[in-house]
Amino acid sequence: MLSAGLPQGTVPKLERPGPLRERVYEALLELITTRALRPGQHLVESELAGHLGVSRQPVREALQRLNTEGWVDLRPAQGAFVHEPTEEEADQLLSVRTLLEAEAARLAAANSGSAGIAALEKLCAEGEQAVADDDVDLAVATNAAFHAKVMELAGNVVLAELAGQVDRRVRWYYTPVARQRGRQSWIEHRDLIAAISARDERRATEVMRAHTEHTRTTYHERSERG
């Protein structure tokens, strides 16, 4: 049941006016990427509509869109279910992420100034504190913000657009391994900041490639144990 799968306070409140179907879509996508709605979970239109305070029509439209984008599976005579990613899907996505992020790190090392370095250091400190507090949701959000900042410092609009297309799926795959990656992930972030600060493009590329590969490996190891 949906009510059993969503902790108190996880359902975002939808505000009007605005394009309701878009707001419902964004709300459901956020619940999926944060795994408040878990892979394989049955999505009942009436329950979702009740939680979001809307009619069933925008929920139905949002589920159809999410199905088209691969977040939801619509099964005949059964209904809608959160998509369960295969190992191959995860591997392909995280491999592409490695390519994009490694190039972003190289460009960030070439282009970043003191303000950009300071922003990365601030995010890193926030991430380390989130890990210390065992706040997985904040750690995941801060990790995404850190990588987005590196992408911003790279200064390549096309690269940023491509990264934006995979960002939410990266969060989806990262969330279940965030606690396991824990402090080590932020140690690697510190190494990356050092390479960017030193304007060492080669080192920044190597650190980022190893960092993203560690996440990919950890995800697969977790799946094998499960």
Side-chain angles (χ1 to χ4, degrees), residues 54-164:
V54 298
S55 68
R56 293 176 64 173
Q57 183 60 30
V59 172
R60 183 177 299 116
E61 293 173 352
L63 291 176
Q64 290 171 345
R65 179 176 173 185
L66 290 165
N67 173 67
T68 300
E69 296 175 357
W71 293 102
V72 167
D73 296 328
L74 296 179
R75 304 174 189 170
Q78 296 183 53
F81 297 80
V82 178
H83 180 66
E84 296 186 72
T86 66
E87 287 294 294
E88 183 179 5
E89 287 171 358
D91 197 62
Q92 289 180 2
L93 188 282
L94 294 174
S95 294
V96 169
R97 182 224 185 181
T98 294
L99 295 174
L100 297 174
E101 299 268 8
E103 177 63 7
R106 183 188 72 78
L107 291 172
N111 299 326
S112 295
S114 58
I117 300 299
L120 290 176
E121 289 177 342
K122 182 176 183 293
L123 286 167
C124 197
E126 292 172 358
E128 290 165 342
Q129 188 60 53
V131 170
D133 294 340
D134 198 29
D135 189 335
V136 173
D137 289 341
L138 182 57
V140 170
T142 309
N143 179 74
F146 181 92
H147 284 269
K149 175 57 69 172
V150 173
M151 192 63 64
E152 177 187 325
L153 296 176
N156 186 311
V157 174
V158 175
L159 188 64
E161 288 177 353
L162 292 172

